């Protein structure tokens, strides 16, 4: 009888242990599940309240993807691209809406982030008109100067060029040792067609004494790659071409070199020594 009671007590003890262990495991699993669910809910809440950050941008250069992200329709984006294909620019939020036909809601959302060039913004501050035709106006006789002797103040006097662009032009001049053609300004990003037109009225290239000619048939790949219009890959192609053709003898040879920016060849040639 005593043995039976002992066995019964052992069975009861094992059942109690099993029940308590299962209860603890269940509580542990429930706790882990609740923590995971709380984390998921937190992430969902963050995603729901998250807004895409919009940084200042020039609306003239909206791509298909950026237009989509801004909430523009395909038709609205296409209207902007067709307008730009005519080499025209929008210069205000009102003009942007006139060209694209975006809704007032979309315009109100994105127009605070429009960033036009300095010369456009300066012009808009002086006028209450919503549409401007930006063209240089000469108020006094212009004295033509040598672009390679131009100061920052001289450049700021040009229509459409502010302090930042003036600094950029001076840095560009230092990179080359001097300008060889007024056509170079069309390859400096940020200078508007109107500003280039005014530059050509005010300046010419006279003094090129500070420019060191590039001996294109003698310099190494590393030395050639330092020229601003070249890079390492192009310098390598130049060396290959001149090796296989017994040197580069004239401008026409440059057009045969793989990767040569043909639109800049006339300017490049003025820096070279054959």
């Amino acid at each position: 009888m005593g043995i039976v009671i002992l066995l019964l007590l052992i069975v009861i003890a094992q059942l109690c242990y099993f029940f308590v262990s299962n209860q603890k495991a269940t509580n542990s699993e429930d706790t882990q599940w609740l923590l995971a669910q709380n984390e998921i809910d937190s992430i969902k809440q963050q995603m729901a309240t998250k807004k895409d950050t919009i940084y200042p941008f020039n609306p003239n250069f909206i791509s298909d993807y950026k237009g989509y992200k801004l909430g523009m329709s395909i038709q609205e984006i296409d209207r902007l691209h067709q307008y730009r294909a005519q080499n025209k620019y929008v210069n205000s939020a009102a003009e942007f809406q006139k060209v694209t036909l975006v809704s007032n809601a979309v315009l109100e959302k994105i127009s605070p982030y429009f960033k036009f060039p300095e010369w456009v913004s300066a012009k808009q501050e002086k006028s209450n008109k919503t549409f401007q035709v930006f063209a240089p106006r000469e108020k006094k006789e212009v004295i033509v100067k040598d672009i390679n002797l131009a100061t920052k103040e001289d450049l700021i006097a040009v229509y459409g060029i502010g302090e930042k662009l003036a600094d950029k032009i001076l840095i560009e001049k230092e990179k080359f040792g001097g300008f060889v053609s007024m056509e170079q300004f069309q390859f400096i990003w940020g200078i508007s067609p109107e500003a280039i037109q005014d530059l050509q009225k005010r300046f010419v290239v006279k003094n090129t004494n500070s420019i060191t000619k590039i001996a294109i048939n003698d310099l190494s790949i590393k030395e050639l790659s330092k020229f601003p219009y070249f890079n390492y890959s192009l310098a390598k192609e130049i060396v290959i071409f001149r090796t296989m053709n017994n040197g580069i003898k004239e401008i026409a040879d440059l057009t045969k070199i793989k990767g040569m920016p043909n639109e800049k060849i006339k300017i490049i040639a003025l820096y070279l020594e054959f």
Side-chain angles (χ1 to χ4, degrees):
M1 185 66 179
I3 294 174
V4 172
I5 294 173
L6 179 61
L7 290 173
L8 184 60
L9 289 173
I10 292 172
V11 170
I12 292 172
Q14 288 179 339
L15 288 174
C16 290
Y17 176 78
F18 178 78
F19 176 78
V20 171
S21 297
N22 280 351
Q23 187 65 34
K24 288 182 178 180
T26 301
N27 290 339
S28 177
E29 289 177 359
D30 288 345
T31 301
Q32 291 178 1
W33 183 88
L34 286 172
L35 289 173
Q37 187 62 42
N38 288 338
E39 186 174 353
I40 292 171
D41 291 341
S42 176
I43 293 173
K44 284 183 177 180
Q45 186 176 4
Q46 290 177 11
M47 293 298 291
T49 58
K50 181 181 178 181
K51 296 182 180 179
D52 291 334
T53 302
I54 302 178
Y55 297 98
F57 63 94
N58 188 331
N60 286 289
F61 302 104
I62 294 176
S63 63
D64 290 338
Y65 176 73
K66 186 171 183 64
Y68 166 76
K69 294 288 287 183
L70 292 172
M72 295 175 65
S73 68
I74 295 174
Q75 294 77 12
E76 292 164 349
I77 298 169
D78 285 344
R79 291 187 194 107
L80 176 64
H81 290 174
Q82 290 167 7
Y83 185 77
R84 288 287 294 110
Q86 303 173 49
N87 199 29
K88 296 180 180 179
Y89 294 81
V90 295
N91 295 315
S92 67
E95 191 173 352
F96 177 82
Q97 185 178 38
K98 182 178 179 181
V99 170
T100 61
L101 302 181
V102 296
S103 65
N104 290 334
V106 172
L107 188 68
E108 289 175 4
K109 173 187 173 184
I110 65 177
S111 60
Y113 303 98
F114 285 179
K115 184 178 181 181
F116 296 102
E118 292 180 1
W119 64 272
V120 174
S121 302
K123 194 72 175 178
Q124 288 175 337
E125 289 175 2
K126 295 179 181 178
S127 174
N128 292 323
K129 296 180 181 179
T130 57
F131 181 82
Q132 291 286 338
V133 178
F134 297 96
R137 296 180 181 178
E138 301 296 340
K139 295 183 178 180
K140 58 182 180 180
E141 183 181 356
V142 175
I143 300 175
V144 179
K145 299 180 180 180
D146 182 359
I147 187 62
N148 286 319
L149 299 178
T151 64
K152 183 175 180 178
E153 289 70 26
D154 292 333
L155 294 171
I156 292 176
V158 175
Y159 181 85
I161 294 181
E163 290 189 13
K164 291 183 179 179
L165 267 180
D167 287 335
K168 189 174 184 178
I169 290 171
L170 292 174
I171 291 172
E172 198 77 4
K173 185 184 75 172
E174 290 300 318
K175 283 165 53 178
F176 288 95
F179 296 113
V180 293
S181 170
M182 293 302 295
E183 293 182 12
Q184 284 179 264
F185 291 97
Q186 65 182 297
F187 300 111
I188 301 177
W189 191 88
I191 303 182
S192 68
E194 292 84 359
I196 291 175
Q197 183 181 2
D198 201 22
L199 275 167
Q200 291 172 340
K201 288 181 180 179
R202 295 172 179 270
F203 300 99
V204 293
V205 175
K206 292 181 181 179
N207 185 355
T208 58
N209 295 334
S210 60
I211 298 172
T212 302
K213 293 276 187 175
I214 299 171
I216 196 167
N217 287 306
D218 301 325
L219 298 182
S220 65
I221 294 176
K222 184 177 181 180
E223 290 170 326
L224 287 170
S225 64
K226 293 179 180 179
F227 180 55
Y229 286 145
F230 295 162
N231 54 34
Y232 185 85
S233 297
L234 180 54
K236 186 175 179 180
E237 292 295 334
I238 290 171
V239 172
I240 292 173
F241 180 88
R242 79 189 188 195
T243 301
M244 296 179 65
N245 294 274
N246 196 27
I248 299 171
K249 304 174 182 63
E250 56 184 356
I251 298 177
D253 290 339
L254 298 177
T255 63
K256 303 171 186 176
I257 299 174
K258 181 181 177 182
M260 182 66 67
N262 291 332
E263 72 279 6
K264 301 175 184 175
I265 279 183
K266 289 183 179 179
I267 296 172
I268 292 172
L270 295 174
Y271 284 104
L272 304 182
E273 184 179 79
F274 295 103

